Amino acid sequence: MEHSRNVLVADDEPYITFMISARLREAGFNVFVAHNGVDALELAVKNAPRVIVSDLQMPRMDGLELSRRLRADAQTSHIPVIMLTARGHKLTPSELAQTNIQHLLPKPFSARELVGIVEEICADTGGGTRDHVRDVAA
Amino acid sequence: MTTPGHIRRLLPGDESVVAGLGLGAAAVVVITSATLWWVTVHAERDAIARGRQNTAQVLTGALAQSVETMLSNDELSSVRRLLTDVGREGGFGALRIELGDGGIIADSDPARITHQSIPNVWPPVGELTSGLGFLQLPLRVPGKGEAMLRVELSGDAETLAPSTAEAWVGGVSAGALAALGLLYRVVRRRTRGLAAISDALRAASEGEKEPRALEVDERHGPQAIAWNTLLSELLRLRAQQSMRSGVEGRGESSGAVDDLAAACDALWHGLVVVDDELRVRYANGAAAVFLASRREGLLGAELTARIGDQEIAAALRPLAGGNQRTRVVIERAIDPTRDDAVFRISGRTIGQRDSGGAVVLIEDVTQQRVADRSRNAFVAQVTHELRTPLTNMRLYVESLLEKPDTDETTRLQFMNIINGEVRRLERIVGDMLSVSEIEAGTLKLTTDDVRLAALMEDLERDFRHPAKAKNIKLKFTLPPKLPVVVADRDKILLAVSNLIGNALKYTPEGGEVTVRFREDADRVAIDVSDTGLGISEDESELVFERFYRSKDQRIDGISGSGLGLPLARQVVRLHGGDITLVSAVGKGSTFTITLPKSAPLSIAA
């Protein structure tokens, strides 16, 4: 578990990635930043992060497609994804089933809350539970 | 086609019925009188005949005795005289004495005598008979044998044969009887038809409205046929009427009906009136176009068959039959050549007093659906656009609040970011307000002297940080002195902001965005150039259309409301200026705002 503190942050809004990475680093995580889905997928394969925080709407490849690709690739299929999304945005159960998404966090969100969720996932030695997703998605 | 004249010929008038009845009555009187007369005459004649026969029998009995005596004395001449006298005086027709061989020895008419003298041998006389009008009496003459006295009663030939008058009366009576029989038959047949018709009228008064149910059996005669003809005429007229009035309009005159039909034809919506079996009774011009049929071909055709679509047919079926209130609405593409076109088909039963049926409306709602989709996309985009600055504001304010010991430089940087995001939010809200104002036609310019130098300073401050965050070089290349123009400051700021915001959005990291200023005698121009993706020739005008989003795959995931450029151009044009575009794909774009220096001509929106 040498990469257990690696976190990948993907969002096309620079102010958001700046603040999220700053707060995660303060909490002791190693943070990698991507500003589009294609870069994020590449970094996920290269750095094997413990958690990925991704925006839903991104250039070149959106968050949903990114999560599907992560799920499909054996190298990354175990990495849980926290999806930053618009409030009220619904993902269907079949959409969720094909992805690694474990948490839906609606914007605007609190950085403290996000760091808490990342900490929680890292503390969970098991593969984590996807029950959260149902709760948030519902 | 049956005409009223035809019906009149079929139905005899009342006067002929009266005449028929009179004739019948006369026949009854004639027959009764004739019968009475006949019975009386016969009874009387029988009595006379019987009386005369009795008298004759008494007389001839006495005569026979005298004759027997005279013949036994051979007084033949006396016998002959006696017969002549008695025949003349007694009112007898003929008297004669016949022998067994038919020979006549005496007769009231001497010319008929065959034996002048009495023969010696008298052959026996056969069986004697007497009948109506004649008598045969035996004469027994001792020593001679037997003979026969035959008496014919006078006048019997005329009295006993049927008289001419009697034959005439009988003939008339028989004729009258036959006429009466015929009349009876006619009257019976006629009244049977009338009875059936009165049954039908009773059914009608009890609520039977369907003309077909009121028809009677035509074997009941011409009245029945005429009645049925009248009913079918009624049906035909009704169908004609409803076809003309179309929407059941209660036109007072045919003029009003024509006006209504013309009005229906002028409708954009397809209007179809169907009967209770969904057969078309009326269709306006638009309906014929929507159903791709000639209107004449639609009349009488089944509507569901004309539409052809199974789902629509199923949806419309509840309209058939009953008079109960039914409404159906379905949205479908009914034109296979335009599968993007959406039609709304709505139907409603029209419970007429005398017939069921429905009115079906066909509307092309394609434009509405397109507008709905655009509006939904717009709302989704706008909420996303609003969410991003809100998220940034929350994140940076949260950080400042949680960490009071943040160093001054970072604090200032965060405050600037928050300020920039507040400005961004303002712009978005401003855009939305302007859009709604433009849509409502209430956008007005509030013009004043606008110092372009100050405007440019504000813009530079607003975009400095976003540019830096994306590592884009934002340059303002301006002359030392900028003019003052008469304009709506907020609207011009909105237009230029949208251009700079777009330039930053579509320029990759490390690129460059430059703002320049030019002017001539009566116009000023602001150029916003970038080293971004560029816009293809095909799309150079489309980007100014509302809600247009480039098909360029390179902008996938870059959010935009599709409102910025159309809005910017609209407000600049309200000032009497314009926005133009020069672009090369892969190299970048230059948007130019030109504004007149003088006061705008079209202040009033």
Side-chain angles (χ1 to χ4, degrees), chain A residues 19-36:
Chain A
M19 182 54 77
I20 294 176
S21 359
R23 299 296 292 266
L24 285 170
R25 283 189 188 109
E26 283 167 26
F29 290 98
N30 303 317
V31 182
F32 305 92
V33 175
H35 286 123
N36 61 63

Side-chain angles (χ1 to χ4, degrees), chain B residues 68 70-75 99 105 118-124 139-147:
Chain B
E68 274 175 354
M70 285 176 179
L71 284 178
S72 61
N73 297 330
D74 284 332
E75 295 166 358
L99 297 178
I105 55 172
I118 299 172
N120 290 321
V121 182
W122 291 15
L139 297 173
R140 297 189 210 298
V141 183
K144 300 278 190 316
E146 51 180 8

Side-chain angles (χ1 to χ4, degrees), chain B residues 72-84:
Chain B
S72 61
N73 297 330
D74 284 332
E75 295 166 358
L76 185 59
S77 54
S78 302
V79 171
R80 286 180 178 164
R81 203 161 45 246
L82 182 64
L83 291 189
T84 309

Side-chain angles (χ1 to χ4, degrees), chain B residues 133-199:
Chain B
F134 72 95
L135 298 166
Q136 289 181 337
L137 298 164
L139 297 173
R140 297 189 210 298
V141 183
K144 300 278 190 316
E146 51 180 8
M148 175 189 78
L149 175 66
R150 181 184 169 89
V151 180
E152 286 182 10
L153 303 179
S154 94
D156 276 0
E158 296 88 36
T159 315
L160 296 180
S163 70
T164 317
E166 223 173 327
W168 194 84
V169 167
V172 167
S173 302
L177 204 65
L180 195 64
L182 197 70
L183 189 73
Y184 170 75
R185 267 187 55 126
V186 167
V187 167
R188 236 198 86 165
R189 253 179 60 194
R190 203 159 287 178
T191 50
R192 222 166 35 196
L194 290 173
I197 290 167
S198 74
D199 282 348

Side-chain angles (χ1 to χ4, degrees), chain A residues 12-16 18-19 23 26 35 57-60 86-87 107-112, chain B residues 384 387-388 391-392 394-396 398-399 402-403 414 417 421 424 465-466 469 509 556-557:
Chain A
D12 58 331
E13 280 290 325
Y15 292 152
I16 293 179
F18 175 81
M19 182 54 77
R23 299 296 292 266
E26 283 167 26
H35 286 123
Q57 214 165 4
M58 284 189 297
R60 298 177 74 183
R87 191 180 298 276
K107 283 180 174 178
F109 58 91
S110 147
R112 183 154 38 87
Chain B
H384 178 83
R387 219 175 289 279
T388 304
T391 306
N392 283 332
R394 177 159 180 193
L395 287 175
Y396 286 86
E398 184 190 37
S399 173
E402 285 183 4
K403 285 178 284 209
F414 284 10
I417 290 173
E421 294 305 289
R424 184 165 153 189
H465 284 276
E509 284 181 43
D556 279 359

Side-chain angles (χ1 to χ4, degrees), chain B residues 311-312 315-316 318-319 326-332 343-348 361 363 365 369:
Chain B
E311 275 190 49
I312 297 174
L316 290 180
L319 295 176
T326 310
R327 291 188 79 111
V328 299
V329 178
I330 184 170
E331 277 191 21
R332 290 277 291 169
F343 290 89
R344 175 160 57 211
I345 296 115
S346 48
R348 186 171 155 267
L361 209 58
E363 299 162 77
V365 292
R369 294 300 157 261

Side-chain angles (χ1 to χ4, degrees), chain B residues 441-454:
Chain B
T442 56
L443 183 77
K444 286 198 171 62
L445 298 179
T446 314
T447 54
D448 201 352
D449 284 354
V450 178
R451 290 180 54 244
L452 288 178

Side-chain angles (χ1 to χ4, degrees), chain B residues 192-260:
Chain B
R192 222 166 35 196
L194 290 173
I197 290 167
S198 74
D199 282 348
L201 286 172
R202 196 175 309 119
S205 74
E206 283 165 3
E208 177 58 63
K209 303 297 184 203
E210 180 50 53
R212 284 188 215 288
L214 295 176
E215 283 179 1
V216 299
D217 192 337
E218 297 202 343
R219 281 173 305 182
H220 290 340
Q223 281 88 357
I225 296 171
W227 170 258
N228 288 353
T229 310
L230 207 60
L231 286 176
S232 61
E233 183 74 1
L234 177 71
L235 267 179
R236 195 181 63 80
L237 284 173
R238 189 187 283 172
Q240 220 171 29
Q241 175 73 17
S242 70
M243 207 176 284
R244 282 180 63 200
S245 60
V247 282
E248 312 298 322
R250 303 262 193 276
E252 295 290 315
S253 62
S254 71
V257 171
D258 290 345
D259 285 351
L260 199 58

